[in-house]
């Protein structure tokens, strides 16, 4: 059973890291599940406090992944139309993977601003703010998955 859990946990961590840049895959949650599976094996044990802290961080980063593009558009001067458009575009973009996850928030903010009566320059600036927010979310996911992977490898080395 330990070998099965070890193989499954390695697969989850690797797919989780890939999920940081492939929008279809939920990167941090998958990496966390891999670490959790390792913890439940007979041979390896991850500190419970570490697991709880990482769980909280995974939840926060997963929520921020949807909110940061909206905040990015707001930071770049988006009106409520652009901000709402960004959020709507993010959700619609999920159905048009993989390009939709990048273009969805950008186009949502752009269209939202145009519906709200903004000029094209402001609409484009709002869209780029959304895109920057999306990239910031990817950086947060990569950082968290990198740390989870580090804890995973450290646990494998110490437990061996």
């Amino acid at each position: 059973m330990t070998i099965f859990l070890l193989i499954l946990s390695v697969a989850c961590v690797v797919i989780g890291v890939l999920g940081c840049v492939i929008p279809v895959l939920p990167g941090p949650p998958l990496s966390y599940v891999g670490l959790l599976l390792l913890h439940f094996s007979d041979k390896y044990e991850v500190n419970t406090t570490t697991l709880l802290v990482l769980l909280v961080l995974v939840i926060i980063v997963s929520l921020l992944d949807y909110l940061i593009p909206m905040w990015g558009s707001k930071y770049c001067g988006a009106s409520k139309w652009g901000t709402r458009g960004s959020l709507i575009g993010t959700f619609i973009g999920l159905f048009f993977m993989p390009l939709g996850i990048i273009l969805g928030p950008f186009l949502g903010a752009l269209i939202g601003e145009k519906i709200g009566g903004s000029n094209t320059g402001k609409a484009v600036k709002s869209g780029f703010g959304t895109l920057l927010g999306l990239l910031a979310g990817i950086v947060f996911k990569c950082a968290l998955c990198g740390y989870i992977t580090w804890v995973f490898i450290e646990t494998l080395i110490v437990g061996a």
Side-chain angles (χ1 to χ4, degrees), residues 28-154:
L30 275 175
S31 290
Y32 181 78
V33 166
L35 191 62
L36 203 57
L37 289 172
L38 183 68
H39 175 72
F40 288 128
S41 70
D42 294 334
K43 190 173 180 183
Y44 304 98
E45 186 176 337
V46 181
N47 184 323
T48 306
T49 304
T50 301
L51 286 173
L52 290 174
V53 168
L54 286 174
L55 176 61
V56 169
L57 289 174
V58 165
I59 291 169
I60 290 170
V61 167
S62 296
L63 290 172
L64 286 177
D65 195 36
Y66 291 100
L67 296 175
I68 288 177
M70 182 180 66
W71 292 340
S73 69
K74 190 73 172 168
Y75 179 77
C76 285
S79 67
K80 66 179 179 180
W81 289 97
T83 305
R84 290 177 185 158
S86 166
L87 189 59
I88 292 168
T90 299
F91 288 118
I92 292 174
L94 293 173
F95 297 104
F96 300 98
M97 296 291 189
L99 200 54
I101 199 65
I102 295 168
L103 288 178
F106 175 80
L107 292 175
L110 186 80
I111 292 168
E113 285 296 330
K114 290 304 285 178
I115 289 172
S118 294
N119 63 30
T120 304
K122 181 177 180 184
V124 169
K125 183 178 177 185
S126 172
F128 277 118
T130 301
L131 190 58
L132 289 175
L134 180 69
L135 294 175
I138 290 172
V139 168
F140 287 143
K141 288 190 297 187
C142 287
L144 182 56
C145 282
Y147 183 70
I148 290 172
T149 302
W150 181 72
V151 170
F152 185 87
I153 291 170
E154 181 182 53

